[in-house]
Amino acid sequence: GAVVSQHPSWVICKSGTSVKIECRSLDFQATTMFWYRQFPKQSLMLMATSNEGSKATYEQGVEKDKFLINHASLTLSTLTVTSAHPEDSSFYICSANRDSSSYNEQFFGPGTRLTVL
Amino acid sequence: DAKTTQPPSMDCAEGRAANLPCNHSTISGNEYVYWYRQIHSQGPQYIIHGLKNNETNEMASLIITEDRKSSTLILPHATLRDTAVYYCIVGAGKSTFGDGTTLTVKP
């Protein structure tokens, strides 16, 4: 099956710093990628839809200036958590829709664990 | 995207079939039903999907009712490694995750 990678798999940072998370589709092109956040014992919450070559669409309540998304190519989307604070500590997961698929074939990355001290 | 309703938890004996139900009464005609599972601290893993017909692959079977308002994921011979949270998702675009069903396979 298709593979989506995320880097880093985990990161610890100090409060006030920025953290960049990469999401790559390794063997397929993905015009559309999604970013999710998951807190302990909760379900995945969609944060934003990332479209190659255009601005991301953010879900209600997600600050676009705090969570910067860049989808510069058909295989890479990045999420930057700016001025991170302890409440931003979470498990961040990306997914990618395969362009060549006739249905919503979506593949998920392994996730990135962010801990803000 | 249509919403889904799943029981919060289920137990299953190892080696037995696990049947996980999902209600999606507001599904529209062109929306697929997808099933994913998530093992602790990992990204969701694709299991199976379907539109109208029942589907089977190496991991599971998917039974969709004729009115498409509900479906059942069947793991034919559950193992301890199948313990996970199972999510039923409906849609033709971005995925909205409900709370899923925590399946615990017991020896």
Side-chain angles (χ1 to χ4, degrees), chain A residues 7-54:
Chain A
H7 178 79
S9 55
W10 59 270
V11 57
I12 301 173
C13 70
K14 293 182 179 180
S15 185
T17 61
S18 294
V19 174
K20 179 186 285 188
I21 302 170
E22 293 185 349
C23 176
R24 293 182 185 272
S25 55
L26 297 185
D27 51 359
F28 64 96
Q29 292 185 332
T31 300
T32 303
M33 294 184 177
F34 302 98
W35 287 96
Y36 296 83
R37 180 167 53 180
Q38 186 176 34
F39 292 108
K41 298 189 183 299
Q42 295 186 21
S43 185
L44 283 76
M45 183 186 74
L46 180 66
M47 299 175 66
T49 302
S50 171
N51 293 298
E52 187 269 338
S54 64

Side-chain angles (χ1 to χ4, degrees), chain A residues 34 36 38 42-46 49 59 91 93 97 102-111 113, chain B residues 32 34 36 38 40-46 49 87 89 91-100:
Chain A
F34 302 98
Y36 296 83
Q38 186 176 34
Q42 295 186 21
S43 185
L44 283 76
M45 183 186 74
L46 180 66
T49 302
E59 295 298 303
F91 192 49
I93 304 169
N97 277 14
S102 60
Y103 59 93
N104 182 31
E105 195 171 17
Q106 190 172 170
F107 301 93
F108 287 82
R113 176 79 56 193
Chain B
Y32 283 81
Y34 305 86
Y36 292 87
Q38 186 179 30
H40 183 63
S41 294
Q42 296 182 24
Q45 175 192 21
Y46 166 83
H49 75 278
Y87 294 100
I89 295 164
K94 62 186 181 183
S95 296
T96 300
F97 283 77
D99 293 332

Side-chain angles (χ1 to χ4, degrees), chain B residues 52 64-70:
Chain B
K52 295 181 181 178
I64 303 174
T65 58
E66 193 169 341
D67 62 7
R68 303 209 325 122
K69 293 185 177 181
S70 66

